[in-house]
């Protein structure tokens, strides 16, 4: 039997593809109800009515798929609220359709390429945080780039890196290099400082975007003031 | 002009509006979009200091008196640049048209520059309109909004073949400053609408034009910075960065400023308040007062008095040919250029 806690756990595996953060910690779930018969109704809310339709669609579709995978679940309804393309997106997601079905004639392809692009950005940002922590702890660039996947810390940042590598088809077995370029090649020790310069910019961009999104969501739905995320 | 601690700053606000988003101006049947747009902007205003927030009624349509007080009398602005935004699918008379802006500019000679606009989907008629506008308003710049809806299309790209004659026309007419504002939609909808690559292509094809990327490409600051290191005619418009982050997220603001000073450099950053979203006063004063919060920012370029003078006005004055009083200028070699040596390493690294 499905209960609300399981549904929320499932929703916690759904990421905002643009920010690479779970939609639960971003507070994008405005309500989540489970009927006695196991039917699930999830409502999603976003920081602005004009958030990009492609990312909005991915979150709604991913949320529906994640909940439908739960054992014993009944009817699953996911509704994107207060969005200017909510009607189109909800109709397509509700019938298990593709993004192109929501916007006939307005798309060229699916959303795989978009998703992959943001997985690459997220991997760069997350790897850079792990590398900087090692350097701050006294490791040399040679020691950092010699690390293997098996040496990565047992924490959410490293776990997410490995998940992203899996999505991107980059080997993530214990003996694979811990820090890689988008093509899976290891980062060379001599390039680490320059790579970090670039990675820091990608990270700043993602974090700043996330900060603005949180602020706008808080204002839009009158959510209590959060403490600034450690930047 | 803003004076602080014995220094005088010439202030040029490169991004201001005089809009009408009142319910009387909403297109019938599209009210939800008109209402959603202005309410979204109003939420952005809440990211500024509480004593600068306006009620929604004033925000929908502020008066000429409000404008003069907020921009010139209290806002320290010497010269402002109107960035015209039409959105006629949602607002009957347009949101913030060249015509509406120019009417106000006429009352303040020498203090307001009116930028025009074009949309490649208007074709030949659009080109003729641009010629007329250039003559009528002595255009030195245009503002382009690539996410604007038009007859069932939800946006366009500077790479579109239809956009090329318009860029050529700008070059021919001496409209040198192309402000580009990215929004959440573009055709096709499956692509990243905020990707600034199309600006890169246009900047390479039209080296005589200057491309000012509004809100520094937010939310794609990284893509914008990588492009700006490689294109000498691409500039950073600081609208939204200051208004949306300086007060609400000071550490993010510091990081973004540090990254911009590093990649883009103080010679290519332009202050813009985005008034009426945010009043210029606190932003101008804040940019003069600002410095990095602590030593964890020590490997970013220094933010000096020269940096402030350039960003607050001298850079924009150069692009628009505005005559700056001699006592407010800087010697030619003042300040620090961007660290361009890293630019070549961008390709393929991220």
């Amino acid at each position: 039997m499905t209960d609300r806690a399981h549904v929320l756990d499932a929703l916690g595996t759904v990421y905002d593809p643009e920010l690479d953060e779970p939609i639960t910690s971003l507070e994008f779930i405005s309500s989540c109800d489970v009927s006695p018969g196991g039917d699930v109704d999830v409502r999603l809310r976003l920081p602005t009515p004009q958030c990009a339709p492609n990312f909005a669609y991915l979150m709604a579709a991913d949320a529906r798929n994640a909940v439908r995978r739960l054992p014993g679940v009944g009817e699953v309804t996911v509704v994107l609220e207060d969005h200017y393309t909510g009607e189109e997106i909800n109709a397509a997601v509700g019938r298990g359709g593709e993004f192109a079905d929501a916007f006939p004639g307005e798309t060229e392809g699916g959303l795989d390429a978009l998703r992959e692009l943001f997985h690459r950005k997220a991997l760069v940002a997350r790897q850079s945080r792990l590398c900087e922590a090692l350097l701050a702890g006294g490791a040399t660039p040679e020691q950092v780039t010699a690390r293997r996947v098996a040496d990565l810390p047992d924490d959410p940042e490293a776990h997410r890196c490995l998940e992203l590598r899996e999505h991107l088809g980059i080997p993530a077995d214990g003996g694979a290099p811990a820090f890689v370029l988008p093509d899976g090649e290891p980062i060379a020790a001599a390039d680490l400082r320059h790579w970090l310069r670039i990675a820091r910019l990608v990270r700043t961009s993602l974090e700043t975007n996330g900060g603005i999104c949180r602020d706008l969501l808080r204002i839009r739905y009158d959510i209590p003031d959060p403490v600034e995320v450690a930047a | 002009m803003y004076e602080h601690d014995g220094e005088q700053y010439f202030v040029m606000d490169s991004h201001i509006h005089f809009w009408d988003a009142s319910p009387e101006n909403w297109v019938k049947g599209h009210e939800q979009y008109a209402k959603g747009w202005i309410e979204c902007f109003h939420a952005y205003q809440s990211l500024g200091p509480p004593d600068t927030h306006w009620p929604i009624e004033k925000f929908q349509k502020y008066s000429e008196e409000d404008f003069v007080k907020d921009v010139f009398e209290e806002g320290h602005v010497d010269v402002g640049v109107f960035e015209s935004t039409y959105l006629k699918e949602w607002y009957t008379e347009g949101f913030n048209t060249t015509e509406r802006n120019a009417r106000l500019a006429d009352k303040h000679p020498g203090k307001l520059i009116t930028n025009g606009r074009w949309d490649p989907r208007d074709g030949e008629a659009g080109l003729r309109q641009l010629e007329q506008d250039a003559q009528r308003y002595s255009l030195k710049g245009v503002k382009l909004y690539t996410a604007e809806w038009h007859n069932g299309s939800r946006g366009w790209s500077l790479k579109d073949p239809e956009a090329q004659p318009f860029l050529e026309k700008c070059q021919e007419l001496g409209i040198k400053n192309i402000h580009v504002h990215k929004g959440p939609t573009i055709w096709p909808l499956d692509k990243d609408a905020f990707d600034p690559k199309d600006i890169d292509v246009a900047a390479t094809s039209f080296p005589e034009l200057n491309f000012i990327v509004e809100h520094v490409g937010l939310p794609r600051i990284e893509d914008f910075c990588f492009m700006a290191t490689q294109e000498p005619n691409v500039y950073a418009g600081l609208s939204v960065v200051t208004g949306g982050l300086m007060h609400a997220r000071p550490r993010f603001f510091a990081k973004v400023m540090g990254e911009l000073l590093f990649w883009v450099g103080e010679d290519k950053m332009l202050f813009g308040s985005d008034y009426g979203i945010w009043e210029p006063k606190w932003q101008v004063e804040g940019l003069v007062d600002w410095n990095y919060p602590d030593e964890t920012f020590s490997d970013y370029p220094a933010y000096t008095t020269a940096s402030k003078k350039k960003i607050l006005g001298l850079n924009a004055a150069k692009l628009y040919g505005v005559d700056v009083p001699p006592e407010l200028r800087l010697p030619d070699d003042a300040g620090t250029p961007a660290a361009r040596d890293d630019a070549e390493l961008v390709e393929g690294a991220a």
Side-chain angles (χ1 to χ4, degrees), chain A:
Chain A
M1 186 66 212
T2 310
D3 65 20
R4 193 169 180 275
H6 286 121
V7 175
L8 286 174
D9 281 348
L11 293 171
T13 66
V14 176
Y15 278 67
D16 178 327
E18 195 182 5
L19 304 177
D20 194 43
E21 290 187 57
I23 58 172
T24 44
S25 62
L26 287 165
E27 303 191 75
F28 288 175
I29 312 291
S30 60
S31 73
C32 169
D33 297 308
V34 183
S35 77
D39 294 341
V40 178
D41 184 285
V42 176
R43 306 275 148 164
L44 298 180
R45 62 183 182 189
L46 296 177
T48 78
Q50 276 118 359
C51 288
N54 42 23
F55 295 115
Y57 173 88
L58 282 175
M59 284 184 269
D62 289 355
R64 181 171 183 268
N65 290 335
V67 177
R68 275 165 57 97
R69 278 195 294 268
L70 288 171
V73 74
E75 195 72 19
V76 177
T77 311
V78 173
V79 176
L80 172 64
E81 294 183 318
D82 309 333
H83 191 267
Y84 78 99
T85 59
E87 218 170 289
E88 294 97 314
I89 287 176
N90 291 332
V93 168
R95 55 176 187 265
E98 297 287 322
F99 182 65
D101 303 327
F103 302 100
E106 294 192 71
T107 59
E108 268 183 347
L111 295 178
D112 290 350
L114 185 74
R115 205 198 278 273
E116 192 192 315
L117 173 67
F118 281 84
H119 279 156
R120 285 204 302 269
K121 288 177 192 261
L123 181 60
V124 168
R126 287 186 186 273
Q127 289 189 138
S128 77
R129 279 195 286 261
L130 292 169
C131 285
E132 282 183 3
L134 289 170
L135 291 170
T140 64
E142 288 73 20
Q143 288 167 333
V144 171
T145 54
R147 300 263 167 154
R148 302 283 119 187
V149 164
D151 306 324
L152 285 171
D154 183 19
D155 68 13
E157 191 91 88
H159 294 165
R160 181 63 184 158
C161 278
L162 299 181
E163 244 174 54
L164 289 165
R165 284 169 70 150
E166 198 176 304
H167 291 315
L168 288 165
I170 300 173
D173 55 280
F179 303 112
V180 291
L181 296 170
D183 59 5
E185 286 297 307
I187 297 166
D191 297 337
L192 183 66
R193 296 277 173 194
H194 286 301
W195 179 83
L196 276 173
R197 263 279 176 205
I198 291 159
R200 185 177 68 182
L201 172 60
V202 174
R203 192 173 83 208
T204 297
S205 180
L206 257 62
E207 289 174 354
T208 303
N209 192 12
I212 291 178
C213 290
R214 281 196 161 83
D215 283 343
L216 292 176
L217 187 83
R218 175 173 58 77
I219 292 158
R220 190 175 187 204
Y221 291 104
D222 209 13
I223 302 167
D225 211 353
V227 181
E228 185 178 72
V229 179

Side-chain angles (χ1 to χ4, degrees), chain B residues 89-106:
Chain B
E89 297 244 334
W90 302 344
Y91 298 101
T92 312
E93 298 297 322
F95 179 65
N96 178 219
T97 58
T98 313
E99 203 179 356
R100 179 176 163 84
N101 289 329
R103 272 202 301 273
L104 185 52
D106 282 345

